[in-house]
Amino acid sequence: MASSQLPPFKVNQTRLLESLHASCQHGSAHSYGNDPTETGMARLSLTDSDKDVREWFIESAKALGCHTHVDQMGNLFAIRAGKNKEAPPIMMGSHLDTQPTGGRYDGILGVIAGLEVLKVLEENSFETEGSIGVVDWTNEEGARFPVMAISAAVWAEAIPLDTAWNLKEISTGDNIPRKTMKEELDRIGYVGETPASFKANPFAAHFELHIEQGPILEDEGRKIGVVQGVQAFKWFDITVSGRDTHAGTTPLYARQDAVLCAAKMITAANSVAKKANGLATTGIIHSEPGTVNTVAQTVNFSLDLRHTFDEDLEKMIADCVVEFQRIATDDSERGCTVEWKELVDSPAVHFDKDCISVVEESAKAVLAEFPDPASGGKQWRDMISGAGHDSCYTNRRCPTSMIFTPTRNGISHNPVEYCSPEDCTLGANVLLGAVLGYDKLRAKRGDFA
């Protein structure tokens, strides 16, 4: 796709940013400046603010003449018909849910940019060969219901529907019963009739625009990341069991201290990750009974382990298992027990070559007139995503690729998360070009015959 082959139209930057910030009125929080847009987000999945933004999304899509539907996991789909209406659509997808202290771009940019692409096609009366659509995936973050991208996983038939429906939210405290995904989908009215399955709802391809969530593009002065794949990761819930005893009357040698044992395990996981050139993160810790003067009986903590290669991740996990057992039995006074529960298994992802190719060609065309970055080379670069995305699951069932835009200071999952209007627009233009490029490729190879 040389510059002469670029679409004769571009996304509207003003409209793109107005739509993004309009969507962020639902669930905005954590103000850090005087401007109304200088806030973060607290729009957890299936909350009232999530319901509100869903209704905003559907109204926006219907205003474009799109067909909209909802599946059993509350995933939202908006389709603009092409010449070949019966063929599976090309989908642009991401998510509208956020972290409790999230920003205005993670996931949100991808959905809003998808809507903007449809607006551009509609206002220019451009008829695509096949249908083009946007999907908002439910609970990508895993912040409220602790399985990342669970609804895309159900669509890909990687996780059973009943397992997802019965997944309970993270503890609400104060003895309030934890809600399941099904209960909350019912409460906000978003259990759709469409089966949550790629068989009932197939895609021709899936393209996801996303902020990088790291510093590489900004540090190198580049504008676009052409994502080749995603590093492998697994999430675990670790339970350490000891014995609750009085803090003042129990000598150190007589303790079965679950908190101390868990702390040593978390430190050990970090050492294992450093040695393997991987990553280990604990973001959730709960202890019981949870009083100042009682040695804790039980600790639950999350463990997120990542590596670029599947085999290296498995070695990290094996090393952690050995270390945790040693700590529990030999380095915890009277000893504790440790149990592992796997929450998410996301193997290393390698995206589709044709999808990567159209993203690359679109990036070349969109950025053709930009000067080379000070770091040397071109304005775009190949990348591996360090974070998991819905695209990890769509990749199992349809051709998939991703586009990254720069993130200021590499900060994400934080209210000050930021991508400039210019960079948001460049990413959306690359998305537009990639989708139209893939649409032409489908026609060329006879997908509609």
Side-chain angles (χ1 to χ4, degrees):
M1 187 187 296
S3 58
S4 61
Q5 295 176 289
L6 270 175
F9 35 73
K10 296 182 179 180
V11 304
N12 183 315
Q13 178 173 304
T14 300
R15 184 173 61 197
L16 173 67
L17 270 294
E18 285 177 349
S19 294
L20 187 146
H21 294 310
S23 75
C24 289
Q25 293 177 19
H26 308 292
S28 64
H30 319 299
S31 175
Y32 61 87
N34 295 324
D35 192 279
T37 67
E38 292 180 323
T39 76
M41 298 295 296
R43 190 165 63 209
L44 275 70
S45 188
L46 308 186
T47 57
D48 289 345
S49 59
D50 186 32
K51 176 183 179 180
D52 291 342
V53 79
R54 287 164 172 268
E55 292 173 354
W56 175 90
F57 173 91
I58 291 172
E59 289 174 6
S60 299
K62 286 184 175 179
L64 296 172
C66 292
H67 168 72
T68 63
H69 63 281
V70 184
D71 75 8
Q72 296 164 304
M73 286 301 298
N75 297 315
L76 310 183
F77 304 89
I79 313 294
R80 181 179 184 269
K83 295 177 185 177
N84 298 276
K85 297 177 177 60
E86 302 304 317
I90 297 171
M91 298 299 292
M92 301 169 285
S94 203
H95 59 97
L96 292 172
D97 68 308
T98 76
Q99 292 286 331
T101 54
R104 300 169 80 88
Y105 300 88
D106 174 1
I108 300 168
L109 175 60
V111 176
I112 303 306
L115 281 174
E116 173 61 20
V117 167
L118 298 187
K119 290 175 184 177
V120 172
L121 298 177
E122 186 64 19
E123 71 182 359
N124 287 279
S125 301
F126 188 86
E127 190 173 25
T128 52
E129 296 295 330
S131 298
I132 310 289
V134 185
V135 52
D136 167 33
W137 297 104
T138 300
N139 193 61
E140 188 274 351
E141 291 289 358
R144 184 183 182 194
F145 301 97
V147 177
M148 188 280 302
I150 188 170
S151 299
V154 173
W155 175 88
E157 297 189 0
I159 293 177
L161 176 64
D162 285 344
T163 299
W165 272 357
N166 290 319
L167 179 66
K168 291 186 177 182
E169 64 186 330
I170 291 171
S171 176
T172 54
D174 299 324
N175 297 316
I176 299 173
R178 292 187 295 158
K179 302 292 187 180
T180 66
M181 289 198 77
K182 179 62 161 55
E183 287 172 332
E184 288 297 86
L185 283 165
D186 282 332
R187 183 184 69 83
I188 68 170
Y190 274 90
V191 180
E193 296 181 0
T194 301
S197 167
F198 72 96
K199 294 173 183 173
N201 188 19
F203 299 173
H206 183 269
F207 291 88
E208 183 170 8
L209 172 65
H210 207 283
I211 59 171
E212 180 196 346
Q213 300 182 275
I216 295 172
L217 289 174
E218 184 181 63
D219 287 351
E220 295 182 356
R222 304 184 199 278
K223 294 297 184 182
I224 292 292
V226 179
V227 186
Q228 311 292 301
V230 182
Q231 67 179 342
F233 66 92
K234 287 191 179 184
W235 289 4
F236 298 94
D237 178 66
I238 310 296
T239 301
V240 181
S241 300
R243 182 178 63 192
D244 47 345
T245 52
H246 195 289
T249 62
T250 310
L252 291 178
Y253 72 83
R255 297 186 177 195
Q256 293 174 273
D257 190 335
V259 167
L260 182 59
C261 184
K264 292 179 179 179
M265 290 175 180
I266 293 167
T267 301
N270 186 68
S271 297
V272 167
K274 276 189 175 180
K275 183 179 178 181
N277 197 28
L279 296 167
T281 303
T282 291
I284 302 172
I285 304 175
H286 294 297
S287 67
E288 294 179 0
T291 68
V292 174
N293 61 338
T294 303
V295 176
Q297 173 190 10
T298 306
V299 171
N300 289 95
F301 66 91
S302 63
L303 183 62
D304 176 322
L305 296 173
R306 303 182 186 234
H307 203 286
T308 304
F309 302 105
D310 291 321
E311 57 271 21
D312 291 311
L313 176 61
E314 291 304 319
K315 178 66 164 54
M316 283 174 57
I317 295 168
D319 288 347
C320 283
V321 168
V322 171
E323 271 298 284
F324 286 15
Q325 190 61 47
R326 181 192 66 78
I327 291 167
T329 57
D330 300 333
D331 194 20
S332 296
E333 306 303 342
R334 291 283 175 88
C336 294
T337 61
V338 56
E339 297 179 9
W340 291 65
K341 179 182 179 182
E342 184 178 297
L343 300 177
V344 173
D345 177 8
S346 184
V349 172
H350 305 284
F351 288 143
D352 178 77
K353 291 182 179 179
D354 286 337
C355 288
I356 292 171
S357 178
V358 294
V359 170
E360 183 177 296
E361 291 304 310
S362 181
K364 287 179 183 177
V366 169
L367 299 171
E369 297 181 0
F370 280 73
D372 292 339
S375 59
K378 49 193 180 294
Q379 281 285 0
W380 59 273
R381 61 162 290 169
D382 295 340
M383 301 190 76
I384 294 292
S385 175
H389 300 278
D390 295 305
S391 290
C392 296
Y393 285 108
T394 64
N395 189 67
R396 299 187 183 194
R397 302 302 184 185
C398 72
T400 296
S401 68
M402 295 186 68
I403 302 159
F404 277 172
T405 56
T407 310
R408 185 169 63 186
N409 298 323
I411 296 173
S412 183
H413 287 191
N414 183 300
V416 301
E417 168 187 283
Y418 182 77
C419 180
S420 73
E422 295 78 15
D423 288 336
C424 288
T425 304
L426 286 173
N429 275 318
V430 173
L431 177 66
L432 170 63
V435 167
L436 293 183
Y438 198 84
D439 184 58
K440 290 180 181 178
L441 176 63
R442 295 181 73 192
K444 182 178 179 180
R445 67 191 182 194
D447 288 8
F448 305 114

